[in-house]
Amino acid sequence: MNPIVLPMAPPAPATRLISLTVDEQPVEVPEGSTILDACRKLGIDTPTLCYGETLMPANACRICVVELEGARTLIPACSRKVEPDMVIRTDSERVRLSRKMVIEFLASSVDLSITPPAQDYLERYDGRPERYGPSAPPDPDRDKRRAGHHERPDGQTAATVHQPTKIDNGLYVRDYSKCILCYKCVDACGEQWQNTFAITVAGRGFDARISTEYANPLPESACVYCGNCIAVCPTGALMFKSEHDLRDAATWDESRQTRTETICPYCGVGCNLTLHVQDNEIVKVTSPADHDITRGNLCIKGRFGFQHVNPKA
Amino acid sequence: MDLRLLDAEPTTDERAAIDAFLGPPVSTWAGADAVEDGHSAHGGHAARAQRHELLPTLHALHERAGWISPGALNYVARRLTIPPADVYGVATFYALFSMQPRASRVLHVCNDLACRCAGSDKLIEALTDRVGPHGSDTDGATWEPSPCLGQCDRAPAAFLVGSGENPTERELTNVDAEALIEILRGATPASPKSATPPQAGEPNLRLLHRIGLVDPESLDEYRAHGGYAALRRAFDIGPEGVLREVLDSKLMGRGGAAFPTGRKWDAVARQPRRPHYLICNADESEPGTFKDRVIMEGDPFSLIESMTIAAYATGCEHGYVYLRGEYPLAQRRLEHALEQARHHGVLGEDILGHGFRFDIELRKGAGAYICGEETAIFSSIEGYRGEPRNKPPFPVERGLFGQPTVVNNVETLVNVLPIVLEGGPAFAQIGTERSTGPKLFCLSGAVAKPGIYEVPFGTTLRELLDLAGGVSTGRSLRAVLLGGAAGSFLTPDDLDLKLTFEDAREAGTTLGSGVVLAIDDAMDLAELLMTIAAFMRDESCGQCVPCRVGTVRQEEALARLASGRTRGTVQDELDLIAEIGQAMRDASICGLGQTASSAVESAIARFEVFTSNGGTTP
Ligand SMILES: Cc1cc2nc3c(=O)[nH]c(=O)nc-3n(C[C@H](O)[C@H](O)[C@H](O)COP(=O)(O)O)c2cc1C
Ligand code: SF4
Ligand code: SF4
Ligand code: SF4
Ligand code: FES
Ligand code: FES
């Protein structure tokens, strides 16, 4: 009898290196890399907002744009793959202007108070969001806006996405006044990770918004409370209820928090957990984004099943 | 996928409308005597592969019900195995769909550029005074302002949608307030007529020669006037031969981007991956544009014949016409023509006995200018939100359903008939060295004889305006908007501009989709700029920040300038508009954002729209 030969994976093809020039410096990166990868290899700090290490690039925010010699428009560094002999500039007048406008557009229309890099980007590119005027008041009916219709503005206030916070369940809170529409939560909830498809982008243009069907409360939606959307949200628009309550009480203090790495006890998959603890209470749970198995994702048990650990009040 | 449905059921009517389109449900899951608890694993590739039916299903539902209720949305989700949130995301993308109950008769009243020139403001004032503000329900009827309806040669225009058991859709042209109020009160509007082009009957027309003279509903007449001669010649010379003729013709796309058609076809023809798809872009929503409608209403077989030739040359078996939702007459004419063509063996299996198979499916938009962008069309047909995709990859490699795809404008396609008949080199003799062939221009606004004009490239703007009878209103010409809302304003000093791609580029303008809107000195330019800015804001898909927010900030700055209540000086505001424009041009994903400021900036550069002596009123 012939010995059983198990099929073997074909040897990995040797990765071709692509050479290009970024800001006058030559660099080589493996084929399939992005311009962002090339920038990072050279230590060029490139701003990003909608890019997520664990997701396919959504290409939506455009703050990462760079200049490619010969191209009519700027191109997004986070998603554009390198090609041989590209000549890239990351700090030209054009690049700086577009980056400034993107961060100004966002800062003048969205609450970026807890988006970590926003202040840094505003300073770096000399953004002055106040030049668009005082913010328009919040709109409780934002979810009802219709595609293709808006009231003509007088320009005396700057339109914003401000709206009441959605608190409709005990686990997490949605404050879409902080939403930059980066698509990450939708991608994480849908086909890239969770496959639940509880949320989507609804509406169009400036009135586009993250929504369940008919903006129904989460408990009526398909949401399974995996919290994988919270894990990828870059702006704090999606937040643990526990964190939200502490922030509301002005007692949220990251400097007083510790992080404990552990393994989720609930099932055999054994996801890694990072417990964020403040004053001896677990205040939120994350999972390392670079972990081979979870990629930052968890299920409801690992994410939210910690209440019984905390001391009863 | 774990499909979690809503706790809502469709009405009998809603279910009937959906079943009439999709066929009766085949399983209990899909709704036949449903006993489910609404939460059940179900799927498989076949179930999920129906997503491209979403937009037509929503149309079928909306026609009957007049809105998309939670119960109906739930049933659509169940039938097509699409998460309800996704259905909601798609439905809310389109302006023609309502997510709230509303009157069964909805009148969309155009308040865009050409209609404004024809007094639509007054019309809207009269409706507001006498019927009520837009959106208010009076005896089962309501009205809403609308962007350009593609009837600018017959402005002011409106579009009536009546839902129910006998749904109606009707284009209304040259309307006045009395007529609209009557219609809102239930009067039946007159049957629509396709406009006869002003040049009808003139010799030497290549694209318009049948329109207005030959019955658009008769394949026999089409054949008697030269129809299907080009397809026969195409079969004689083979796909490679057709490609050669089109390459030699140097035909450039007429949809706005002016890309060489031969190169596009060649790229798709050479893609080893199958199937290939052909899409005719008939979304025609650029304000001021109506040429494709005139072709489809007046000579529908010519589009079908040219698509068949295009498919033959590029190896496509399946084609789509993506038609804007506000063109019901064009839709009926095309549907009729498609049926006739299939019946007579010039479409479908084994065309003309040459063993070539090709068929065309009509897809109807639902009120979204952005769906005319070539990659947004893919998203829309596939059943997703009509959001453009980042390029690369380009459509010739990865287009519809991820397959190599040809996208061409209606006018581009019908040029293929003279190219195949006369030969590419002969065609290239028409026009100029780099802009070959005949070109259709859409004349509207303050001209005596608005309509579609066919002229060779190289005709000057002045000659074109003269053809249309010059300024009609007894006033003088103030400006011309060339290329549409994504184009630019020219002054009376620019009338010697030769209308070619290269001359336009050199003059810092664009032919765009062939819009020539004449504006006389009675019109308020600032008002037109506000209209354009509002249009761009309404039509932005919202995907990328520069366009989503930039179009809003541009409109706000214009509003401040128009009202005289600026932040800082007028110059500060103009500088701000320039910066917004630069960022939209440089950093937006697609052509909408990239051109959203071009008309505004051209007006500011060429006219003193907002400076104290120019003033905001003439
Ligand atoms: C916002 C936007 C809307 C467009 N709308 C249309 C349209 O309605 N019809 C059209 O033919 N092209 C339209 N285009 C251009 C298409 O993207 C594409 O270039 C064209 O269909 C290609 O066909 P062509 O090469 O035959 O011109 C639009 C582009 C943009 C950016
Ligand atoms: S918690 Fe999970 S299921 Fe719920 S919306 Fe977020 S990603 Fe989707
Ligand atoms: S909620 Fe957060 S993750 Fe979702 S789109 Fe908004 S900013 Fe992005
Ligand atoms: S430029 Fe505008 S229309 Fe185009 S993708 Fe961006 S937001 Fe959408
Ligand atoms: S980070 Fe690249 S587009 Fe947002
Ligand atoms: S139909 Fe009203 S502007 Fe075109």
Side-chain angles (χ1 to χ4, degrees):
Chain A
M1 219 175 96
N2 288 334
I4 294 167
V5 180
L6 289 172
M8 292 213 315
T15 3
R16 212 153 62 95
L17 287 178
I18 306 277
S19 355
L20 63 159
T21 312
V22 182
D23 291 342
E24 253 101 82
Q25 308 170 65
V27 59
E28 285 197 328
V29 286
E31 188 173 16
S33 307
T34 61
I35 292 171
L36 182 64
D37 296 330
C39 290
R40 287 183 174 169
K41 182 161 181 200
L42 285 171
I44 298 169
D45 185 9
T46 307
T48 61
L49 284 170
C50 69
Y51 176 75
E53 306 292 337
T54 62
L55 294 161
M56 311 260 289
N59 278 309
C61 76
R62 317 299 280 187
I63 198 154
C64 67
V65 287
V66 297
E67 196 167 338
L68 164 65
E69 204 171 276
R72 186 172 46 88
T73 61
L74 303 178
I75 57 166
C78 69
S79 65
R80 183 65 182 265
K81 298 264 191 336
V82 292
E83 290 158 32
D85 305 322
M86 276 179 156
V87 177
I88 303 286
R89 272 179 210 88
T90 73
D91 206 34
S92 65
E93 279 291 313
R94 274 173 84 192
V95 169
R96 293 186 63 84
L97 177 85
S98 280
R99 290 180 179 178
K100 171 179 89 165
M101 298 306 281
V102 165
I103 191 66
E104 270 188 0
F105 285 165
L106 287 174
S108 62
S109 58
V110 183
D111 170 5
L112 297 183
S113 57
I114 55 169
T115 302
Q119 201 51 42
D120 170 35
Y121 295 167
L122 277 168
E123 277 159 26
R124 205 189 306 178
Y125 297 105
D126 202 15
R128 290 180 297 121
E130 61 286 352
R131 65 179 170 150
Y132 302 97
S135 294
D139 178 4
D141 287 328
R142 200 177 149 76
D143 286 326
K144 298 205 182 84
R145 293 199 189 169
R146 294 191 40 216
H149 293 273
H150 71 276
E151 291 300 320
R152 193 179 259 207
D154 65 6
Q156 298 307 313
T157 55
T160 67
V161 302
H162 296 172
Q163 58 191 295
T165 308
K166 289 178 166 46
I167 307 179
D168 54 16
N169 68 86
L171 301 182
Y172 82 101
V173 169
R174 297 174 294 153
D175 180 4
Y176 291 127
S177 302
K178 296 192 174 76
C179 174
I180 59 168
L181 219 70
C182 70
Y183 287 63
K184 281 188 201 172
C185 54
V186 176
D187 289 344
C189 183
E191 65 191 3
Q192 292 189 34
W193 291 120
Q194 182 58 27
N195 243 348
T196 291
F197 298 90
I199 48 176
T200 182
V201 181
R204 193 168 81 194
F206 190 71
D207 300 337
R209 57 211 175 248
I210 305 297
S211 184
T212 59
E213 59 279 1
Y214 295 95
N216 284 343
L218 276 186
E220 288 172 28
S221 77
C223 176
V224 297
Y225 303 98
C226 61
N228 293 333
C229 51
I230 311 172
V232 294
C233 180
T235 63
L238 307 179
M239 189 183 276
F240 274 63
K241 179 85 165 35
S242 43
E243 174 174 349
H244 178 263
D245 290 347
L246 289 176
R247 283 184 185 272
D248 242 16
T251 50
W252 176 261
D253 185 354
E254 279 177 35
S255 67
R256 294 213 321 265
Q257 291 171 12
T258 56
R259 295 178 180 207
T260 306
E261 304 291 331
T262 182
I263 306 275
C264 178
Y266 283 103
C267 85
V269 174
C271 297
N272 276 36
L273 303 181
T274 306
L275 308 177
H276 301 242
V277 178
Q278 177 176 328
D279 303 333
N280 212 26
E281 275 194 36
I282 300 171
V283 291
K284 78 172 168 188
V285 178
T286 57
S287 182
D290 57 2
H291 191 273
D292 280 354
I293 292 168
T294 70
R295 298 274 173 205
N297 298 303
L298 292 171
C299 80
I300 183 172
K301 291 173 283 182
R303 184 79 67 191
F304 290 112
F306 58 81
Q307 262 84 1
H308 66 282
V309 180
N310 286 337
K312 286 234 162 62
Chain B
M1 183 193 343
D2 185 27
L3 197 66
R4 165 82 145 77
L5 294 172
L6 292 165
D7 251 349
E9 291 300 325
T11 66
T12 320
D13 270 0
E14 289 167 343
R15 182 192 291 258
I18 294 163
D19 287 347
F21 179 74
L22 290 175
V26 289
S27 67
T28 51
W29 160 260
D33 293 332
V35 287
E36 265 76 15
D37 59 3
H39 189 170
S40 153
H42 169 81
H45 184 70
R48 289 193 309 275
Q50 308 169 79
R51 179 133 190 173
H52 66 103
E53 299 281 14
L54 179 54
L55 183 54
T57 307
L58 290 175
H59 265 302
L61 163 67
H62 205 274
E63 269 177 14
R64 178 72 160 261
W67 72 296
I68 298 173
S69 71
L73 180 136
N74 202 35
Y75 188 60
V76 171
R78 177 194 287 274
R79 288 297 314 269
L80 296 177
T81 317
I82 304 175
D86 271 29
V87 180
Y88 185 76
V90 170
T92 53
F93 189 83
Y94 295 99
L96 288 181
F97 292 150
S98 175
M99 304 308 288
Q100 248 126 44
R102 69 170 170 187
S104 61
R105 288 160 77 80
V106 182
L107 194 59
H108 301 266
V109 183
C110 180
N111 200 19
D112 217 323
L113 303 169
C115 289
R116 267 178 198 272
C117 294
S120 62
D121 257 357
K122 297 247 161 49
L123 209 63
I124 281 188
E125 233 176 74
L127 288 179
T128 312
D129 283 354
R130 295 174 52 192
V131 182
H134 65 86
S136 56
D137 185 336
T138 334
D139 301 327
T142 187
W143 70 277
E144 284 189 344
S146 164
C148 177
L149 291 166
Q151 307 283 354
C152 325
D153 51 339
R154 301 181 290 182
F159 176 56
L160 176 69
V161 181
S163 53
E165 270 192 61
N166 298 304
T168 48
E169 286 181 335
R170 196 56 73 72
E171 27 309 70
L172 308 168
T173 53
N174 296 124
V175 296
D176 56 36
E178 286 315 315
L180 289 187
I181 289 168
E182 285 305 305
I183 287 168
L184 278 171
R185 290 187 179 139
T188 310
S191 295
K193 282 205 296 274
S194 39
T196 302
Q199 291 167 305
E202 283 181 22
N204 302 327
L205 295 178
R206 285 184 170 77
L207 307 177
L208 300 180
H209 60 118
R210 275 180 293 258
I211 301 180
L213 306 175
V214 174
D215 180 1
E217 307 211 334
S218 162
L219 180 56
D220 287 341
E221 277 212 38
Y222 177 69
R223 279 186 165 135
H225 289 82
Y228 282 104
L231 182 61
R232 285 175 202 284
R233 169 144 158 84
F235 283 132
D236 287 346
I237 60 180
E240 288 290 333
V242 175
L243 279 178
R244 175 86 345 248
E245 299 292 7
V246 175
L247 281 164
D248 286 349
S249 74
K250 301 195 226 161
L251 174 67
M252 306 274 258
R254 309 295 200 232
F259 188 83
T261 306
R263 272 180 42 205
K264 192 183 281 186
W265 288 20
D266 199 48
V268 170
R270 289 182 201 300
Q271 291 286 331
R273 284 171 359 100
R274 301 276 154 159
H276 297 172
Y277 290 104
L278 170 68
I279 298 176
C280 166
N281 190 343
D283 193 45
E284 189 160 77
S285 309
E286 179 72 43
T289 317
F290 48 95
K291 62 193 176 71
D292 299 342
R293 171 179 58 80
V294 172
I295 295 171
M296 292 182 289
E297 287 177 356
D299 199 8
F301 290 104
S302 69
L303 180 59
I304 296 173
E305 182 182 356
S306 16
M307 284 181 71
T308 310
I309 295 172
Y312 178 63
T314 56
C316 303
E317 285 191 358
H318 200 92
Y320 290 87
V321 175
Y322 190 94
L323 181 69
R324 77 173 291 187
E326 295 88 343
Y327 280 176
L329 180 60
Q331 183 191 344
R332 283 200 299 280
R333 292 267 160 85
L334 277 173
E335 278 168 352
H336 177 81
L338 286 170
E339 211 175 282
Q340 293 278 306
R342 281 186 204 114
H343 185 72
H344 287 93
V346 286
L347 191 67
E349 300 290 328
D350 193 19
I351 294 173
L352 291 176
H354 283 269
F356 171 60
R357 175 171 57 188
F358 175 64
D359 210 334
I360 297 174
E361 198 176 318
L362 202 68
R363 282 303 176 99
K364 211 168 121 177
Y369 166 60
I370 190 58
C371 288
E373 197 278 341
E374 57 184 358
T375 59
I377 293 194
F378 306 150
S379 309
S380 182
I381 294 180
E382 291 171 16
Y384 293 88
R385 294 163 52 78
E387 292 173 356
R389 302 173 182 177
N390 218 56
K391 293 181 270 196
F394 291 95
V396 294
E397 290 159 16
R398 293 193 175 268
L400 186 64
F401 302 116
Q403 296 298 117
T405 304
V406 181
V407 183
N408 274 128
N409 172 256
V410 174
E411 182 190 348
T412 312
L413 285 164
V414 295
N415 269 288
V416 170
L417 302 178
I419 289 170
V420 169
L421 281 173
E422 298 169 30
F427 183 92
Q429 293 303 308
I430 309 165
T432 66
E433 172 74 26
R434 276 179 293 168
S435 301
T436 60
K439 175 80 194 96
L440 299 180
F441 287 96
C442 314
L443 276 97
S444 67
V447 288
K449 291 182 286 172
I452 299 296
Y453 289 84
E454 175 182 330
V455 292
F457 276 107
T459 306
T460 67
L461 193 50
R462 189 186 309 281
E463 288 163 349
L464 193 57
L465 288 170
D466 286 346
L467 262 186
V471 175
S472 58
T473 44
R475 307 188 68 107
S476 58
L477 184 72
R478 177 149 195 237
V480 173
L481 177 62
L482 185 64
S488 54
F489 285 93
L490 301 178
T491 71
D493 294 337
D494 301 321
L495 295 189
D496 292 317
L497 176 72
K498 276 193 175 164
L499 297 169
T500 67
F501 296 123
E502 58 277 13
D503 290 280
R505 195 172 314 121
E506 207 165 291
T509 177
T510 167
L511 302 185
S513 51
V515 171
V516 177
L517 176 72
I519 298 151
D520 68 20
D521 58 5
M523 280 306 294
D524 182 356
L525 267 191
E527 189 61 33
L528 294 183
L529 297 192
M530 285 291 290
T531 305
I532 290 174
F535 175 81
M536 294 298 175
R537 171 179 178 170
D538 275 337
E539 300 300 329
S540 163
C541 82
Q543 192 181 190
C544 66
V545 175
C547 168
R548 178 175 80 232
V549 188
T551 53
V552 174
R553 296 292 178 248
Q554 168 174 269
E555 190 191 19
E556 288 169 349
L558 286 171
R560 290 193 295 272
L561 283 163
S563 67
R565 294 165 64 207
T566 52
R567 290 180 63 79
T569 63
V570 167
Q571 194 54 48
D572 290 340
E573 296 283 11
L574 297 180
D575 292 346
L576 181 63
I577 287 179
E579 283 191 26
I580 296 169
Q582 177 81 36
M584 290 199 286
R585 199 158 42 248
D586 273 348
S588 296
I589 294 179
C590 85
L592 190 149
Q594 288 160 13
T595 59
S597 68
S598 79
V600 170
E601 290 191 80
S602 72
I604 289 172
R606 295 196 176 100
F607 298 86
E608 300 196 323
V609 195
F610 297 114
T611 40
S612 44
N613 51 350
T616 54
T617 44

